[in-house]
Amino acid sequence: MSCCDLAAAGQLGKAGIMASDCEPALNQAEGRNPTLERYLGALREAKNDSEQFAALLLVTKAVKAGDIDAKTRRRIFDAVGFTFPNRLLTTKEAPDGCPDHVLRALGVALLACFCSDPELAAHPQVLNKIPILTTFLTARGDPDDAARRSMVDDTYQCLTAVAGTPRGPRHLIAGGTVSALCQAYLGHGYGFDQALALLVGLLAAAETQCWKEAEPDLLAVLRGLSEDFQKAEDASKFELCQLLPIFLPPTTVPSECLRDLQAGLARILGSKLSSWQRNPALKLAARLAHACGSDWIPAGNSGSKFLALLVNLACVEVRLALEETGSEVKEDVVTACYALMELGIQECTRCEQSLLKEPQKVQLVSIMKEAIGAVIHYLLQVGPEKQKEPFVFASVRILGAWLAEETSSLRKEVCQLLPFLVRYAKSLYEEAEEANDISQQVATLAISPTTSGPTWPGDALRLLLPGWCHLTVEDGPREILIKEGAPSLLCKYFLQQWELTSPGHDTSVLPDSVEIGLQTCCHIFLNLVVTAPGLIKRDACFTSLMNTLMTSLPALVQQQGRLLLAANVATLGLLMARLLSTSPALQGTPASRGFFAAAILFLSQSHVARATPGSDQAVLALSPDYEGIWADLQELWFLGMQAFTGCVPLLPWLAPAALRSRWPQELLQLLGSVSPNSVKPEMVAAYQGVLVELARANRLCREAMRLQAGEETASHYRMAALEQCLSEP
């Protein structure tokens, strides 16, 4: 058979069996075509390549283009099999006068036809051709050669069919397809648009694996798209707005890409646009805010104006969408606007290196207040049937971000919404599995999910904790929260989250938000201890909480890097112990003794004597573990000292236990070894409070303090109360 016959067979093969023409016939006869059956028999019985080509040519003549259904296509495959296409794809010698790609083109055409059957597209004989097929995407040749173009089309059909199978994306990625597609797109040769479409599909199906296997090539595509976006002056810039979020990496975005993206967005959003033009730009900006915070926005006047514009547009969009009763809400767009509002909240509350100037902050806070009012208005209308919708979760998230920073404005509206928020948080807490699913759906509304970096939290309580911490200080909101059962819910939530940090769990893989959530819960409980002590005494959930604090603190204070959480637990436990001092659990039980020993460890290790050059006397200084976080720790430490002091007269066994720990002796020794001028008045008061109560509570404590030069030390530090106590028998 001549080269011309081969080419003809290939072209006729396309006419009859090419994948693009393999559509079910509209008017298939009930019986089989006798002529086709005879030719298929000849194809099955062919003994060499020439006979196979001839039989294949006859089959294509018997089947008109478009008249082949899935069953017939499968029977053609049964007759041809994979051996023949395999030989065509791998042959290195073409007949004389025949271009070397013609045989491969026919092989790819056959594969493309077979891949129209999903079962065949997932066949190992197709999957192992992926490395060969990808070489055709970047092969050099005459760009006007029709046969080459047809082979490229068939190759994309094969790869696209494989991508549509359950395990196809994984095989494509492992076979180097992502890099080949990136190179094909960047080369802008024939079919580069198909390369981009297939890349989009693979990133949607297996983003992490794509970036792991081909990060340099994907970043090159991102650079190209970003540059095109920055330069675009026509409608293509709006199409790129929709495309670019898919190509943002899960790690750091190159700075040159950020510059181009910001410049392109500034030009788009600074113009008068229709909603279909503006919305994709807002969604791209939200995706950048989610991935990079405000790092992608330049400092200076242009950056501050751009950020103010972003937040302004987002707030307007939110108000338009949520204030109009009965209007259809474009949830993906509004969710993107929520992300931009959250960025605005962060920048307005940043004290140092904020992109915004003070007048801009004042203006934006006022604008965001109106948008948050619209969010509250929307949430007040949410019925039980809608509570599990992702958009409701996103709306609660932005409200939580606002309340974390601002609770004085919209107070009436917030109080009106509090019962709903408690019920909503409780329903998601009780159905944690569904809540996690909702969080993933929220992430896909406007922001492509990534495997690293910040993610949408999986429970509503974590979103609301900071705001509730502020609200429990105020009488009105606190009464509503208590009436709706929020304290009991918070206790259950704290105990559930605490389990994640208990022995047997790998705390190194826990997100920071878990520990931050535990600390914020402690702050809420501290507020309730101070403002609603009766609640602590009568609600059984706080007895369970106290038991957990007592059993957990001894191990917690020994763990590196968790001092701030230990401070919260110790201080909360000490304050609650004063209110629950009559509880059997606090009457010198092993758990209570262990807790107070750990609390003493936390309180006693905060300060050390430090030598100073050129001086004979040391000074009181923070110990290394406390020094870096003292700004966050000191209020808890002073409160803990005060609470411990209050526990001593209520628990008769505590003073002897403190004496056995040698804390009072070591404290006096520390004060005697440093210069009194280095000890601040508030420290002197805290130390004196503990020493006086221990001395009053126990004779052995007084004797031990006298032996440690307690009276002399008290005199040096002008601790009149301690000096008087130690002077008594």
Side-chain angles (χ1 to χ4, degrees):
M1 183 174 283
S2 69
C3 180
C4 293
D5 292 331
L6 290 174
Q11 294 304 313
L12 286 170
K14 293 175 191 296
I17 65 170
M18 192 175 155
S20 59
D21 293 327
C22 291
E23 301 292 338
L26 296 178
N27 299 298
Q28 281 286 335
E30 291 183 3
R32 292 182 177 181
N33 184 327
T35 303
L36 176 60
E37 292 302 312
R38 187 168 63 254
Y39 293 160
L40 285 175
L43 187 57
R44 284 190 293 268
E45 295 171 5
K47 295 181 174 57
N48 53 49
D49 290 349
S50 295
E51 290 182 7
Q52 278 195 311
F53 275 124
L56 187 60
L57 181 60
L58 292 172
V59 168
T60 59
K61 288 181 177 180
V63 181
K64 294 181 180 180
D67 283 353
I68 186 168
D69 60 12
K71 290 182 179 179
T72 304
R73 182 170 59 243
R74 187 60 187 249
R75 285 170 42 239
I76 294 174
F77 164 74
D78 291 338
V80 177
F82 280 115
T83 303
F84 186 45
N86 289 350
R87 293 181 60 196
L88 292 172
L89 289 171
T90 58
T91 184
K92 296 181 179 179
E93 296 182 4
D96 293 339
C98 182
D100 59 2
H101 65 271
V102 170
L103 295 179
R104 292 195 295 273
L106 183 55
V108 177
L110 287 169
L111 277 187
C113 174
F114 299 157
C115 284
S116 299
D117 183 332
E119 185 177 341
L120 293 179
H123 195 284
Q125 287 284 359
V126 172
L127 299 178
N128 65 23
K129 301 300 179 299
I130 290 173
I132 298 174
L133 292 172
T134 56
T135 63
F136 301 155
L137 301 180
T138 55
R140 295 181 179 180
D142 182 1
D144 297 323
D145 187 327
R148 281 191 178 277
R149 290 191 171 208
S150 183
M151 183 171 69
V152 171
D153 287 334
D154 289 336
T155 299
Y156 280 117
Q157 280 187 282
C158 290
L159 297 177
T160 301
V162 172
T165 64
R167 302 173 70 113
R170 189 185 72 174
H171 288 289
L172 290 173
I173 294 166
T177 305
V178 176
S179 291
L181 290 171
C182 291
Q183 293 166 21
Y185 173 75
L186 292 170
H188 276 69
Y190 179 75
F192 78 98
D193 53 337
Q194 297 180 71
L196 190 63
L198 188 49
L199 272 176
V200 168
L202 289 176
L203 284 167
E207 180 188 34
T208 302
Q209 292 84 349
C210 287
W211 281 100
K212 183 178 179 180
E213 291 293 329
E215 181 173 348
D217 296 300
L218 285 169
L219 287 177
V221 172
L222 176 62
R223 290 187 182 95
L225 292 172
S226 301
E227 188 175 347
D228 291 345
F229 179 63
Q230 193 271 335
K231 294 178 179 178
E233 297 291 346
D234 55 12
S236 66
K237 60 188 175 184
F238 304 114
E239 297 172 4
L240 286 168
C241 278
Q242 297 176 314
L243 192 62
L244 278 161
I246 301 168
F247 286 88
L248 292 178
T251 53
T252 306
V253 182
S255 57
E256 63 271 25
C257 296
L258 293 178
R259 285 195 298 270
D260 286 341
L261 293 173
Q262 189 276 329
L265 282 171
R267 195 161 56 248
I268 290 176
L269 294 174
S271 306
K272 188 174 181 180
L273 302 171
S274 60
S275 60
W276 74 266
Q277 295 170 321
R278 180 178 59 253
N279 291 346
L282 289 173
K283 291 167 72 173
L284 173 58
R287 181 66 177 84
L288 288 169
H290 177 75
C292 310
S294 61
D295 293 343
W296 61 287
I297 301 175
N301 191 50
S302 63
S304 65
K305 286 184 177 180
F306 174 71
L307 176 57
L309 174 64
L310 269 183
V311 179
N312 229 316
L313 290 173
C315 290
V316 170
E317 191 70 34
V318 168
R319 291 189 63 188
L320 287 174
L322 302 184
E323 288 181 348
E324 295 180 10
T325 305
S327 62
E328 183 180 353
V329 177
K330 295 180 179 178
E331 295 179 352
D332 57 340
V333 178
V334 177
T335 306
C337 292
Y338 286 166
L340 297 175
M341 286 174 60
E342 194 164 342
L343 178 63
I345 292 170
Q346 292 168 1
E347 286 300 315
C348 285
T349 55
R350 181 179 293 181
C351 298
E352 297 180 359
Q353 297 182 329
S354 174
L355 292 171
L356 299 169
K357 300 173 183 177
E358 284 304 315
Q360 289 174 314
K361 290 182 179 181
V362 173
Q363 183 184 24
L364 285 182
V365 166
S366 176
I367 294 170
M368 287 191 289
K369 175 183 173 182
E370 295 175 348
I372 292 296
V375 174
I376 294 175
H377 171 74
Y378 164 76
L379 290 174
L380 284 170
Q381 301 175 65
V382 172
E385 73 283 356
K386 287 189 174 183
Q387 285 192 14
K388 291 185 181 180
E389 293 184 3
F391 183 65
V392 176
F393 192 91
S395 300
V396 171
R397 175 189 169 93
I398 186 60
L399 178 61
W402 172 265
L403 293 177
E405 305 295 344
E406 173 57 61
T407 57
S408 59
S409 60
L410 299 171
R411 184 173 303 177
K412 179 181 177 182
E413 292 84 352
V414 169
C415 287
Q416 189 180 358
L417 186 64
L418 277 179
F420 164 81
L421 294 177
V422 176
R423 292 193 300 271
Y424 179 74
K426 183 178 181 180
S427 68
L428 291 193
Y429 167 77
E430 292 175 345
E431 300 178 32
E433 201 169 303
E434 286 82 355
N436 187 59
D437 291 341
I438 289 175
S439 72
Q440 295 305 314
Q441 294 177 55
V442 169
T444 59
L445 279 174
I447 300 173
S448 300
T450 61
T451 55
S452 62
T455 57
W456 297 80
D459 61 83
L461 262 175
R462 190 172 299 164
L463 309 176
L464 297 168
L465 288 176
W468 286 8
C469 187
H470 298 313
L471 292 170
T472 48
V473 177
E474 304 176 26
D475 293 340
R478 182 176 63 253
E479 289 174 5
I480 296 173
L481 288 170
I482 292 174
K483 180 181 177 182
E484 295 296 329
S488 177
L489 174 62
L490 288 169
C491 283
K492 294 176 183 177
Y493 178 77
F494 180 89
L495 297 176
Q496 179 209 57
Q497 295 292 295
W498 189 263
E499 281 297 312
L500 299 176
T501 69
S502 61
H505 292 81
D506 184 2
T507 57
S508 64
V509 301
L510 287 178
D512 292 340
S513 57
V514 172
E515 190 148 317
I516 293 172
L518 288 170
Q519 292 177 23
T520 310
C521 279
C522 286
H523 295 166
I524 295 174
F525 295 141
L526 286 170
N527 290 341
L528 294 175
V529 167
V530 174
T531 60
L535 175 70
I536 308 300
K537 294 179 180 179
R538 69 174 180 267
D539 198 321
C541 71
F542 288 102
T543 301
S544 299
L545 176 62
M546 185 71 213
N547 291 334
T548 297
L549 299 179
M550 288 196 298
T551 57
S552 303
L553 186 62
L556 184 60
V557 293
Q558 304 290 343
Q559 296 176 19
Q560 289 291 326
R562 308 190 74 191
L563 181 57
L564 193 54
L565 180 58
N568 278 278
V569 170
T571 304
L572 176 60
L574 290 169
L575 284 167
M576 289 180 63
R578 288 197 309 180
L579 299 176
L580 302 174
S581 60
T582 59
S583 168
L586 286 163
Q587 305 311 310
T589 60
S592 62
R593 289 180 181 275
F595 169 78
F596 276 94
I600 288 173
L601 194 64
F602 159 65
L603 296 171
S604 65
Q605 292 187 339
S606 61
H607 291 78
V608 295
R610 183 175 298 169
T612 55
S615 175
D616 295 335
Q617 206 167 17
V619 297
L620 188 71
L622 287 165
S623 60
D625 288 343
Y626 289 67
E627 193 169 14
I629 59 172
W630 187 246
D632 298 319
L633 200 64
Q634 61 177 336
E635 186 177 352
L636 290 167
W637 187 87
F638 281 108
L639 196 55
M641 290 287 285
Q642 181 183 350
F644 185 93
T645 301
C647 287
V648 173
L650 299 174
L651 302 171
W653 61 268
L654 184 52
L659 182 62
R660 286 193 296 273
S661 75
R662 294 193 55 79
W663 184 26
Q665 301 96 309
E666 291 173 358
L667 180 50
L668 288 169
Q669 184 180 1
L670 175 64
L671 292 173
S673 65
V674 300
S675 168
N677 292 332
S678 68
V679 186
K680 296 179 180 179
E682 60 267 27
M683 293 294 299
V684 173
Y687 286 146
Q688 178 176 223
V690 169
L691 291 170
V692 166
E693 286 301 331
L694 289 174
R696 287 174 178 170
N698 186 270
R699 177 181 58 82
L700 294 177
C701 280
R702 291 195 296 275
E703 292 177 0
M705 291 182 196
R706 292 190 190 107
L707 291 174
Q708 196 63 51
E711 292 178 273
E712 182 181 350
T713 302
S715 176
H716 286 161
Y717 284 89
R718 297 180 181 178
M719 296 179 176
L722 178 60
E723 190 173 6
Q724 180 180 353
C725 185
L726 294 179
S727 67
E728 297 173 356

